[in-house]
């Protein structure tokens, strides 16, 4: 009788361990399924923008400073309004010139790219982590150009393409491309942005 009871106790313990093990496995599988589903729905982001920048060979320029009596950013809820950013490459030498006169449209598009990268530098400083960017909602680009120049959209594409390349679908935005007869410090391009971030 003692032997029978011992066997029953052992069986109960084994059954209990088996049930606990099965529950643990089920929980892990359930968690994996939730992660897979959330990934498909875009709920969980495994996109690391810093790594993408590295993979693209992109070095962000140093954080700029306001060129007047204003702030670089202003927050409203989960929206960040960014002041006009100028084309400052990593070497700190501001790109200048009037499109159609002293700078080509192609070089102006490169200037627009640098405007976008300066915006991203500001986002990094303001948000701490570029993965906190939810959506680039809008860019407004100004092009310093001669009368009759009508390819402002192609110039500002330099910024738009950069945002999409770095942020993917989150970088796809509404946009304005405006021609003007002058810009501060004689830069060829100035760009401002509206960005949504994680609260």
């Amino acid at each position: 009788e003692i032997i029978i009871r011992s066997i029953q106790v052992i069986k109960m313990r084994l059954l209990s361990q088996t049930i606990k093990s099965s529950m643990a496995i089920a929980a892990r599988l359930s968690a994996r399924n939730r992660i897979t589903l959330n990934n498909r729905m875009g709920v969980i982001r495994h996109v690391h923008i810093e790594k993408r920048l590295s993979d693209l060979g992109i070095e962000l320029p140093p954080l700029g400073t306001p060129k007047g009596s204003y702030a670089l950013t202003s927050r409203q809820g989960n929206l960040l309004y960014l002041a006009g950013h100028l084309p400052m490459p990593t070497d700190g030498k501001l790109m200048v010139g009037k499109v159609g006169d002293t700078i080509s449209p192609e070089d102006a598009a490169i200037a627009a790219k640098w405007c976008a990268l300066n915006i991203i530098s500001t986002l990094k400083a303001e948000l701490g982590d570029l993965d906190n960017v939810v959506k680039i909602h809008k860019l407004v680009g100004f092009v310093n150009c001669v009368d009759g120049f009508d390819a402002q959209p192609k110039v500002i594409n330099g910024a738009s393409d950069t945002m999409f390349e770095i942020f993917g679908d989150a970088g796809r935005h509404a946009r304005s491309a405006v021609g003007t007869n002058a810009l501060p410090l004689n830069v060829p391009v100035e760009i401002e942005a509206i960005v949504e971030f994680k609260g």
Side-chain angles (χ1 to χ4, degrees), residues 85-98:
H85 281 59
L86 306 182
M88 180 77 75
T90 51
D91 62 8
K93 186 178 180 181
L94 195 66
M95 295 183 69
V96 296
K98 182 181 284 290

Side-chain angles (χ1 to χ4, degrees), residues 5-197:
R5 286 182 180 178
S6 297
I7 293 174
Q8 288 176 339
V9 169
I10 292 172
K11 285 183 177 180
M12 290 297 294
R13 287 178 180 175
L14 289 174
L15 179 61
S16 176
Q17 290 176 356
T18 301
I19 291 173
K20 288 180 180 179
S21 177
S22 298
M23 290 176 65
I25 292 172
R28 286 197 296 270
L29 290 174
S30 178
R32 289 176 184 173
N33 288 338
R34 287 197 301 271
I35 290 172
T36 301
L37 177 61
N38 286 336
N39 280 334
R40 288 175 180 172
M41 295 176 64
V43 175
I44 296 178
R45 295 178 65 208
H46 291 295
V47 176
H48 301 289
I49 302 302
E50 294 284 351
K51 184 179 185 305
R52 183 173 294 175
L53 287 169
S54 178
D55 290 343
L56 293 171
I58 294 176
E59 179 183 357
L60 293 178
L63 180 65
T65 56
K67 302 299 188 288
S69 300
Y70 62 91
L72 285 178
T73 64
S74 179
R75 295 191 183 206
Q76 175 63 45
N78 282 9
L79 290 179
L80 192 65
Y81 294 81
L82 292 97
H85 281 59
L86 306 182
M88 180 77 75
T90 51
D91 62 8
K93 186 178 180 181
L94 195 66
M95 295 183 69
V96 296
K98 182 181 284 290
V99 183
D101 182 12
T102 56
I103 187 171
S104 69
E106 292 76 18
D107 285 341
I110 294 174
K113 177 177 180 176
W114 280 114
C115 288
L117 293 177
N118 275 272
I119 287 173
I120 294 171
S121 285
T122 298
L123 288 172
K124 182 178 179 180
E126 186 72 19
L127 303 178
D129 185 345
L130 290 173
D131 284 342
N132 286 328
V133 171
V134 174
K135 180 75 173 176
I136 308 294
H137 280 288
K138 187 171 184 180
L139 296 183
V140 179
F142 301 93
V143 180
N144 175 12
C145 57
V146 297
D147 291 346
F149 182 78
D150 61 0
Q152 290 86 2
K154 291 184 179 179
V155 170
I156 303 303
N157 279 348
S160 294
D161 292 345
T162 299
M163 290 299 189
F164 181 68
E165 183 178 33
I166 293 172
F167 292 102
D169 286 338
R172 197 179 296 278
H173 51 269
R175 193 187 78 182
S176 297
V178 183
T180 181
N181 64 346
L183 283 174
L185 305 176
N186 194 36
V187 295
V189 184
E190 180 177 0
I191 298 177
E192 58 186 52
I194 301 174
V195 178
E196 182 183 354
F197 60 92

